[in-house]
Amino acid sequence: MLRYFLVLAVTDGSLLIASFVLGLLASGEPRGPGSIWRGIHLLFALFTTMATLGVHSIAYTYFLATGKWAKEVVRVYQLPDWINDQAKKNKRKAFRFEFWSMSLIAITAWLGAAADTQGLNPLWHLGIAAATIAFNLGAFAVIYAVIVAQARLLLEVKARADQMREARYGPDSTNVAAEVASGEDRR
């Protein structure tokens, strides 16, 4: 997930900045049917909004899934409860940033639509768009750090579970489990 999130975050950050620049280009153009930059900005901003929502949703889903996996392994192998508590703490820490990033991009899109169709002062849209970019870039850094912490926790849980399985069933039990998972047959 580390590499995937890094690629998604860099791509989405680039989209956010490009959409902002297109918005600046569109703001210098007169309104009307022939305003090409406004149309390009609108389409690009819609795509960017959906991409931002998607990136943060993927990150949230990752924390949900890995938290459930950690909880189940803790239950089955009777590992210490602090492992499950740490997985929950990681999810809560990331959720704050995911939630506000998604909220800000939605508010930015709403203000952009209001500025375009209802005559709202476009400076509101511009200001919130700048804040959205800054917050998302910071959120990407925080979420990446939390993903790193979650990955380390998962590796520790797996190592403990492997040790316990090996102690109970012998050294070949880890290899048998890996073969079963990959679909190989020992015969």
Side-chain angles (χ1 to χ4, degrees), residues 3 51 71 80:
R3 280 184 277 156
K71 181 179 179 180

Side-chain angles (χ1 to χ4, degrees), residues 162 164-178 186:
D162 287 346
M164 291 180 78
R165 189 173 40 253
E166 190 173 308
R168 286 182 189 165
Y169 304 112
D172 287 340
S173 65
T174 305
N175 295 336
V176 171
R186 292 180 68 171

Side-chain angles (χ1 to χ4, degrees), residues 2-135:
L2 294 173
R3 280 184 277 156
Y4 297 127
F5 182 76
L6 191 58
V7 168
L8 290 172
V10 168
T11 301
D12 191 49
S14 300
L15 288 172
L16 286 165
I17 292 168
S19 184
F20 187 81
V21 169
L22 285 171
L24 291 176
L25 290 172
S27 68
E29 190 175 57
R31 290 179 185 250
S35 58
I36 199 113
W37 286 112
R38 285 188 185 276
I40 292 172
H41 171 64
L42 174 69
L43 292 175
F44 203 79
L46 286 173
F47 176 71
T48 302
T49 300
M50 297 307 294
T52 303
L53 294 173
V55 168
H56 290 294
S57 296
I58 289 168
Y60 183 69
T61 303
Y62 168 77
F63 286 107
L64 278 177
T66 57
K68 288 184 185 231
W69 179 83
K71 181 179 179 180
E72 185 65 16
V73 173
V74 165
R75 185 188 67 77
V76 168
Y77 287 94
Q78 298 172 347
L79 295 174
D81 286 335
W82 70 263
I83 294 170
N84 191 33
D85 294 340
Q86 184 62 44
K88 286 180 185 177
K89 182 180 173 186
N90 288 342
K91 181 176 77 170
R92 278 193 303 269
K93 184 175 184 180
F95 177 74
R96 287 181 237 147
F97 290 93
E98 293 157 352
F99 175 80
W100 285 109
S101 292
M102 291 191 283
S103 296
L104 282 171
I105 195 72
I107 291 167
T108 303
W110 180 79
L111 288 174
D116 197 37
T117 61
Q118 302 299 318
L120 180 75
N121 187 344
L123 290 178
W124 285 102
H125 176 57
L126 178 68
I128 293 296
T132 299
I133 292 170
F135 188 85

